[in-house]
Amino acid sequence: TAAVLGTNAVISESFAKQLTDLPAELLEHILCFHVLNHVDICKVSCTCKRLHDVCHGRGKVWAHQHKLRWPRLQRFYQQNESYDWLKEFKTRHMVGQQIRRTVESISKRFFTEQFTIFSKIVIFLSLGAPEHFCADELLEILNSDKRKCLTLKYYAKKILYFLRQQNILRNLKVFLERPPELQSALEGAVLVDQYCNPLADVSLESTSAQIEEITDKVKKNLRVKNATHPSLRASQGDCFVLENLEFQRQVICALNAVLYDQLQYKGNERDYYNPLNSYIHQVLLRRTGIPISLSVLYMTLARKLGVPLEPVNFPNHFLLRWCQNQRRSDDIYAYVYIDAFGKGKQLAAKECENLIRHQVGADYYSAISTSELLLRMVGNLLNIGKRGEGNEKSYQLLRDSLDLYLIINPDNVQYLLLQARLYFHLGIWPEKVLDILQHIQALDPSQHGAVGYLVQHTLEHIQHKRHPVEPEVKKRSVPEHRDVLYSVGLIMKHKRSGYNCVIYGWDPKCTMSQEWINTMRVHQLSKGADQPFYNVLVQDGTCRYAAQENLEPHSAPLEIAHPEVGRYFTEFSDTHYIANEELQARYPEDMCKTHRTVEEHYHGLTANSGHSPSINIL
Amino acid sequence: MPTIKLQSSDGEMFEVDVEIAKQSVTIKTMLEGKWYTGVDRWVTPPNVSSLICPQVIQWCTHHKDDPPPPEDDENKEKRTDDIPVWDQEFLKVDQGTLFELILAANYLDIKGLLDVTCKTVANMIKGKTPEEIRKTFNIKNDFTEEEEAQVKQVPFTLWHKKK
């Protein structure tokens, strides 16, 4: 109950004529009302000594303010411990301000170039700002009003992505240093998943809980067939191995029945090269995957029920092996091989080769460690990244999987070189490129040819960075630009392809290479290359360069869900996008034109027609 | 309808319906206590004067049909925009009375009254400078000059919002 009697219950006959006469608990009660914020508390504490003491004394008032303002941070504090809540509040408040200032400043400096800003963040963090406070402030920015502060959100997202990845990387390093018995394939797979999806809500706890649910279903199935099976007696955390092969067979049988028949898990044959197949939380969600990810799931489930299966690095088609003898053996025929991708089908040694239509030696049938398993998993992602369309998403995957690969296998010269080339190609983080190149040089001096070339050009790049060229300003009013009809921020429709897009730049004439012009058959347009061309962000996530005659203002303007929108625009306002400072500096006369165009075309369009996608990032 | 008598600290007696009086958890507990068997039922809530007692009774009478207030969950947001109009009028009293009502509500454990009186005071604090707060509540500034400078300094430079 709310009884705030305290020890001051007996105040003889002195009536409370003044606020300050009230007992401390009641004053705290008043000060903890929702309407009073931290500013009010500060003012109250300046009034007199008594109120100052009430505000600061037992910490209750500031504890309340902290919880009110940042409820998400409560989980970082223990229930029974006492904290200096005023200090916690001040620190969090200051960190919040610093983060916002940093994110805002990033927009100005890195608008024109795709630099990574992470070295700055690392410096900032090394000054002692508690990381969970930084992450919390960034989350606050990301979860604020959906259509405003787009530029701030754009950079906040990149930073949060990076911060979380750093955290996960640390966890991965700790994981890899553990003795092999303590490296569960599941935990490794979760770390890989987290690193590639740092903004998604993936955790070992939730994944384990889902695994537990499946285990329960298998136990149920097992109970029907054999009510006295020893695995039924095991409780959740137990680590045991069934001695009797027949009991093991019963478990495997039940497992197959539940996983493939009841829950309908299957190998993803149709969309094999989708990276989602490699992420364990997606495998559990979509009930599909590739041989290695399904094997991790299968193996984890089997182990929980007392059947130890081992991962086998079979070329092209990952398998598990199940020992049929009492004692472990090197004889490949002493095992049954399980194809988790193929509904748990059991194969004898040489039968596996039918899967890949290729003969292999006995070496390929041996069990591998968790690290090797993860290396293969990450290698898969790397290959998908390499095959990608060269858009932001595939580059991100390539970068992430390379990071992971090099954590597990740090001195692999081939992949170090790939990483250096990747960053060089993307034009980002030249300092890191130099670091990598030095590392390669130390490992393998014979690479000096490739290394030398990259070093030279990277040094030039760094030099160039020091004297940035002023971005070109394009004014509509100059005679060369008079044929440019449209302006940045307008939502357009491509007349022929039908796609929706927003303009973020233009040129009075096509500025692409002759090769591009030929490939894209620009000459077939009625006005050819001799007309204004527009840089557009398209609904499907691509960036394109479209001719003026192919574009028209969209009849029903809508939000364009493109990841780079925040880089150029701060806000969506029903009919168009508002350019941020940096874009406006480049196109100083465009916003006026956009407003006029919007007036002309959409005059009378009252309610908003766009739908903002709900992205709640946890 | 059964009634109960309340005796104020200065000896006056007030009669009130048992159901209305039970809004006070303190009284409710007393009434349901096993040592309470007297036919002539009366309680003496401590430190509730004859001036405040009728006020409390008046509030409880008006609110007798209210649903019981929810458990005081720390996580529940206490909004101050929902002080009912009747309560607002009821609480247009001098500060001394207001504070006594707070104390009475606290001793008698009447959550609804305690909340609405405290909210009222919180509203009186909201948005004011220290000097304004002192004036409103007639608080004496007992800081020395140095103390005051120290106390003011840190918060204000940090808390200055809005660029």
Side-chain angles (χ1 to χ4, degrees):
Chain A
T1 97
V4 191
L5 279 171
T7 52
N8 295 341
V10 184
I11 291 183
S12 32
E13 354 86 339
S14 61
F15 296 129
K17 284 283 169 42
Q18 295 225 310
L19 179 65
T20 44
D21 293 330
L22 290 174
E25 294 91 347
L26 284 176
L27 286 171
E28 281 176 352
H29 192 64
I30 292 171
L31 292 174
C32 286
F33 267 91
H34 167 74
V35 74
L36 296 174
N37 63 20
H38 61 274
V39 179
D40 295 313
I41 302 299
C42 282
K43 307 263 165 103
V44 166
S45 72
C46 285
T47 50
C48 68
K49 284 185 184 173
R50 168 121 174 91
L51 290 178
H52 185 272
D53 287 340
V54 169
C55 288
H56 296 285
R58 302 196 304 178
K60 187 166 177 225
V61 176
W62 282 110
H64 170 85
Q65 284 296 326
H66 193 286
K67 190 187 217 175
L68 195 65
R69 178 88 175 74
W70 301 293
R72 220 174 12 224
L73 287 175
Q74 282 300 297
R75 64 192 182 93
F76 290 99
Y77 298 102
Q78 305 280 29
Q79 279 283 29
N80 301 324
E81 281 186 39
S82 66
Y83 297 93
D84 182 349
W85 286 104
L86 177 55
K87 181 156 171 263
E88 294 295 311
F89 192 99
K90 277 192 212 172
T91 309
R92 173 62 184 86
H93 184 94
M94 279 200 305
V95 166
Q97 291 185 317
Q98 283 171 320
I99 287 276
R100 284 197 183 234
R101 275 199 294 266
T102 305
V103 177
E104 276 162 18
S105 74
I106 282 163
S107 178
K108 288 174 195 11
R109 274 134 89 202
F110 301 106
F111 172 74
T112 47
E113 302 167 78
Q114 267 288 31
F115 281 122
T116 50
I117 29 69
F118 310 137
S119 44
K120 301 271 182 279
I121 301 299
V122 168
I123 293 170
F124 170 60
L125 286 177
S126 68
L127 294 174
E131 207 179 295
H132 57 290
F133 283 176
C134 297
D136 189 66
E137 182 68 28
L138 290 167
L139 268 176
E140 233 179 65
I141 295 174
L142 288 172
N143 287 328
S144 63
D145 188 344
K146 295 273 176 273
R147 308 198 295 174
K148 299 209 167 119
C149 302
L150 298 174
T151 306
L152 204 67
K153 284 196 193 122
Y154 175 79
Y155 290 105
K157 191 169 178 180
K158 284 191 188 291
I159 298 171
L160 188 62
Y161 193 98
F162 172 74
L163 274 182
R164 287 209 174 157
Q165 278 193 323
Q166 292 310 295
N167 232 337
I168 296 158
L169 223 51
R170 273 194 292 268
N171 293 342
L172 181 57
K173 282 191 190 141
V174 168
F175 175 82
L176 291 170
E177 279 162 17
R178 284 194 220 147
E181 320 81 75
L182 295 178
Q183 290 181 5
S184 83
L186 182 70
E187 194 174 341
V190 167
L191 285 164
V192 168
D193 188 348
Q194 284 176 327
Y195 192 79
C196 297
N197 303 286
L199 298 180
D201 186 21
V202 179
S203 70
L204 186 58
E205 291 76 36
S206 61
T207 313
S208 298
Q210 289 179 71
I211 301 264
E212 195 58 35
E213 276 175 32
I214 304 177
T215 315
D216 286 341
K217 290 190 166 80
V218 178
K219 281 187 180 166
K220 235 185 186 159
N221 184 302
L222 196 54
R223 188 166 288 126
V224 168
K225 301 198 184 122
N226 180 357
T228 58
H229 195 287
S231 300
L232 295 173
R233 290 195 290 275
S235 39
Q236 197 181 7
D238 282 356
C239 223
F240 67 102
V241 171
L242 293 164
E243 290 294 329
N244 183 320
L245 193 62
E246 181 51 35
F247 285 146
Q248 288 193 8
R249 282 200 196 105
Q250 290 173 1
V251 166
I252 295 292
C253 190
L255 178 54
N256 287 341
V258 168
L259 207 57
Y260 300 111
D261 297 330
Q262 187 184 334
L263 296 175
Q264 298 273 300
Y265 274 77
K266 48 172 159 300
N268 195 342
E269 284 171 29
R270 251 183 311 144
D271 191 13
Y272 197 83
Y273 294 103
N274 190 331
L276 295 180
N277 292 327
S278 295
Y279 304 138
I280 194 79
H281 86 282
Q282 289 288 350
V283 172
L284 287 165
L285 199 65
R286 302 176 342 137
R287 301 193 180 177
T288 190
I290 47 176
I292 192 172
S293 53
L294 289 168
S295 296
V296 168
L297 176 61
Y298 198 101
M299 185 169 83
T300 307
L301 289 166
R303 282 219 180 134
K304 282 178 86 74
L305 293 158
V307 180
L309 301 176
E310 294 170 299
V312 172
N313 204 2
F314 207 69
N316 289 353
H317 197 113
F318 204 85
L319 296 168
L320 295 168
R321 75 177 191 179
W322 177 20
C323 191
Q324 303 293 293
N325 295 349
Q326 282 287 31
R327 214 168 300 149
R328 301 181 92 249
S329 158
D330 280 333
D331 176 11
I332 65 175
Y333 294 99
Y335 294 88
V336 162
Y337 298 88
I338 296 180
D339 180 9
F341 185 87
K343 301 212 174 177
K345 185 159 179 207
Q346 291 167 19
L347 304 158
K350 288 296 165 181
E351 283 177 341
C352 301
E353 287 159 21
N354 296 338
L355 281 173
I356 58 171
R357 280 169 245 184
H358 201 285
Q359 286 190 329
V360 294
D363 290 341
Y364 289 96
Y365 287 91
S366 32
I368 55 169
S369 66
T370 300
S371 307
E372 291 168 299
L373 188 158
L374 293 179
L375 210 57
R376 175 145 172 185
M377 199 178 245
V378 168
N380 287 341
L381 288 167
L382 235 159
N383 287 330
I384 296 173
K386 275 195 215 168
R387 292 158 71 110
E389 297 130 36
N391 56 18
E392 166 119 4
K393 218 169 161 187
S394 65
Y395 279 132
Q396 188 67 59
L397 181 59
L398 195 49
R399 280 170 63 179
D400 291 343
S401 50
L402 265 174
D403 288 343
L404 285 170
Y405 196 100
L406 290 167
I407 288 282
I408 306 171
N409 205 345
D411 294 331
N412 185 310
V413 170
Q414 179 198 356
Y415 284 121
L416 281 169
L417 206 47
L418 178 57
Q419 192 180 49
R421 284 206 183 101
L422 178 62
Y423 283 140
F424 180 78
H425 172 78
L426 292 174
I428 55 173
W429 215 352
E431 294 84 356
K432 167 125 178 142
V433 175
L434 285 179
D435 282 343
I436 302 169
L437 292 170
Q438 264 183 332
H439 188 187
I440 296 173
Q441 195 75 321
L443 287 169
D444 184 2
S446 74
Q447 293 287 344
H448 63 86
V451 168
Y453 171 88
L454 285 172
V455 166
Q456 185 198 337
H457 285 268
T458 304
L459 287 172
E460 278 172 21
H461 189 184
I462 295 178
Q463 205 39 40
H464 179 83
K465 246 196 345 172
R466 295 211 184 103
H467 310 283
V469 169
E470 275 302 314
E472 187 193 344
V473 173
K474 290 183 180 162
K475 291 192 170 167
R476 310 187 68 83
S477 47
V478 305
E480 309 90 80
H481 296 162
R482 64 163 180 263
D483 289 332
V484 178
L485 280 179
Y486 308 121
S487 43
V488 300
L490 284 177
I491 317 260
M492 311 294 281
K493 195 173 183 73
H494 195 276
K495 288 183 199 166
R496 296 200 298 179
S497 313
Y499 62 66
N500 305 325
C501 60
V502 59
I503 298 174
Y504 71 96
W506 49 258
D507 296 306
K509 306 257 183 285
C510 182
T511 57
M512 291 299 218
S513 66
Q514 201 52 46
E515 202 185 314
W516 188 91
I517 290 177
N518 292 341
T519 314
M520 302 300 282
R521 297 200 272 254
V522 172
H523 294 304
Q524 289 182 8
L525 297 171
S526 65
K527 299 204 186 79
D530 208 17
Q531 60 176 307
F533 269 70
Y534 296 88
N535 299 99
V536 294
L537 298 175
V538 185
Q539 192 84 322
D540 65 356
T542 55
C543 300
R544 307 199 200 191
Y545 195 57
Q548 182 164 281
E549 69 182 60
N550 280 337
L551 292 174
E552 60 182 2
H554 204 288
S555 53
L558 68 169
E559 273 185 84
I560 305 291
H562 190 288
E564 295 289 290
V565 163
R567 191 162 161 220
Y568 303 104
F569 305 103
T570 54
E571 203 176 312
F572 176 72
S573 80
D574 290 348
T575 49
H576 63 283
Y577 276 94
I578 300 174
N580 61 20
E581 259 184 68
E582 291 71 38
L583 189 59
Q584 284 197 42
R586 273 225 189 137
Y587 296 92
E589 295 166 3
D590 267 43
M591 281 327 284
C592 287
K593 178 75 166 109
T594 301
H595 285 140
R596 282 204 301 277
T597 312
V598 161
E599 264 298 302
E600 267 171 51
H601 284 266
Y602 309 129
H603 185 68
L605 192 84
T606 44
N608 100 73
S609 50
H611 295 289
S612 47
S614 179
I615 313 165
N616 227 321
I617 299 167
L618 297 164
Chain B
M1 215 165 322
T3 62
I4 181 177
K5 296 198 183 75
L6 300 180
Q7 184 177 50
S8 67
S9 56
D10 45 348
E12 270 200 58
M13 285 287 213
F14 300 90
E15 193 161 344
V16 66
D17 281 348
V18 164
E19 286 313 305
I20 292 173
K22 274 187 175 178
Q23 281 182 64
S24 153
V25 175
T26 311
I27 291 181
K28 183 167 186 270
T29 317
M30 278 179 167
L31 288 177
E32 289 166 1
K34 53 183 184 181
W35 47 267
Y36 201 82
T37 53
V39 168
D40 196 20
R41 312 199 305 172
W42 55 312
V43 288
T44 311
N47 301 300
V48 179
S49 74
S50 58
L51 293 166
I52 291 303
C53 208
Q55 305 257 43
V56 174
I57 294 172
Q58 187 188 7
W59 190 92
C60 289
T61 307
H62 186 265
H63 287 269
K64 69 182 196 301
D65 294 322
D66 283 2
E71 273 300 302
D72 193 339
D73 186 7
E74 279 271 1
N75 296 324
K76 185 181 75 119
E77 276 180 11
K78 302 169 191 175
R79 299 196 191 288
T80 53
D81 47 5
D82 58 358
I83 301 181
V85 176
W86 187 90
D87 286 348
Q88 284 179 42
E89 287 303 312
F90 175 79
L91 293 172
K92 282 185 179 161
V93 294
D94 61 277
Q95 281 185 21
T97 309
L98 183 58
F99 298 138
E100 296 230 34
L101 280 170
I102 291 178
L103 285 171
N106 188 31
Y107 298 138
L108 291 169
D109 197 354
I110 306 172
K111 189 180 180 319
L113 181 59
L114 183 64
D115 276 351
V116 95
T117 44
C118 287
K119 274 183 208 175
T120 305
V121 177
N123 280 336
M124 287 160 78
I125 294 174
K126 171 93 200 139
K128 292 192 160 79
T129 66
E131 194 45 50
E132 286 165 352
I133 295 174
R134 284 190 203 115
K135 232 172 145 178
T136 306
F137 296 102
N138 200 13
I139 298 172
K140 184 168 180 309
N141 180 358
D142 56 354
F143 287 121
T144 65
E145 264 187 45
E146 293 121 19
E147 283 170 342
E148 186 162 1
Q150 223 176 32
V151 155
K152 266 193 173 170
Q153 173 202 68
V154 172
F156 281 118
T157 48
L158 275 186
W159 305 149
H160 190 64
K161 292 159 79 165
K162 314 269 183 212
K163 295 174 259 196

